[in-house]
Amino acid sequence: MGSQNLTGKRYAFLVTNGYEDSELTSPWQAVTEAGGQPVLVAPKPGVVTGKHGHEQQVDQAVNAATSADFDGLMLPGGVVNADHLRMDLNAAAFVRAFFEEHKPVGVICHGAWILIEAGVVDGRTITSYPSLKTDLRNAGAVWVDEEVVVDNGLVSSRRPDDLPAFNGKLVEEFAEGKHAAQAV
């Protein structure tokens, strides 16, 4: 992970209250250590709180954010977080735009729910928390039970225990930049 340089690049981390704390903080640290600038994007300004109490200041509201301002996107999980984000039309459109622009996207655990709502999983190989398997398959994804899966710029993992492997692949894909096959 240390050889991947993200200096001068910005990465959106999209969450709302109820995110899985480590699924925000661990990738955030990995991106920061690689020289990238993580930016917290949420449905509302203020502070968001994780399910275990981690609080973090929102940098930008999703309705004012544009994918053109970022080099990639990270979607932490957490059941409440993911469920609320997938119901937010601005959040779904924001996510979809990264795929339309061929930019790398990382997703872990329940975060994959918003990918379904954004309409970007059909034909993609992905992993997630096992309870999303049927939802992802019904949306056209090829679901696999693996620690980390990379599919043309889409990096996915199952749970917090997978973060060490996930973070390495996330930074690698972020460093590679746009992927022609990363599209809807």
Side-chain angles (χ1 to χ4, degrees):
M1 193 163 58
S3 66
Q4 303 294 336
N5 188 346
L6 304 179
T7 302
K9 297 186 180 194
R10 298 181 59 198
Y11 299 95
F13 280 65
L14 178 61
V15 297
T16 192
N17 292 315
Y19 60 88
E20 178 63 48
D21 301 45
S22 63
E23 293 173 6
L24 170 65
T25 59
S26 183
W28 185 284
Q29 180 179 352
V31 166
T32 301
E33 287 175 357
Q37 179 188 356
V39 177
L40 192 80
V41 178
K44 297 178 182 173
V47 173
V48 289
T49 305
K51 72 179 206 174
H52 299 293
H54 175 79
E55 293 183 341
Q56 193 153 331
Q57 181 67 41
V58 174
D59 296 311
Q60 193 168 11
V62 73
N63 66 347
T66 174
S67 58
D69 293 335
F70 300 99
D71 297 287
L73 172 65
M74 174 58 207
L75 299 166
V79 176
V80 173
N81 167 66
D83 193 45
H84 288 178
L85 283 178
R86 71 181 172 157
M87 300 303 294
D88 185 301
L89 296 177
N90 291 319
F94 184 66
V95 170
R96 185 175 176 83
F98 281 88
F99 286 82
E100 291 170 344
E101 296 170 13
H102 311 287
K103 293 179 178 178
V105 174
V107 62
I108 188 164
C109 202
H110 286 82
W113 265 338
I114 195 166
L115 297 179
I116 296 168
E117 204 61 39
V120 297
V121 297
D122 190 23
R124 302 300 292 267
T125 300
I126 190 169
T127 194
S128 68
Y129 194 75
S131 66
L132 274 67
K133 171 176 56 175
T134 300
D135 295 342
L136 286 161
R137 286 181 174 162
N138 286 342
V142 176
W143 187 87
V144 295
D145 185 11
E146 296 178 16
E147 184 178 53
V148 64
V149 174
V150 179
D151 182 340
N152 293 306
L154 174 60
V155 183
S156 58
S157 262
R158 304 170 298 189
R159 61 181 56 93
D161 291 347
D162 298 335
L163 281 165
F166 175 76
N167 289 341
K169 285 296 184 185
L170 178 70
V171 169
E172 181 182 319
E173 293 301 302
F174 277 1
E176 287 177 9
K178 289 186 176 186
H179 290 70
Q182 177 70 314
V184 287

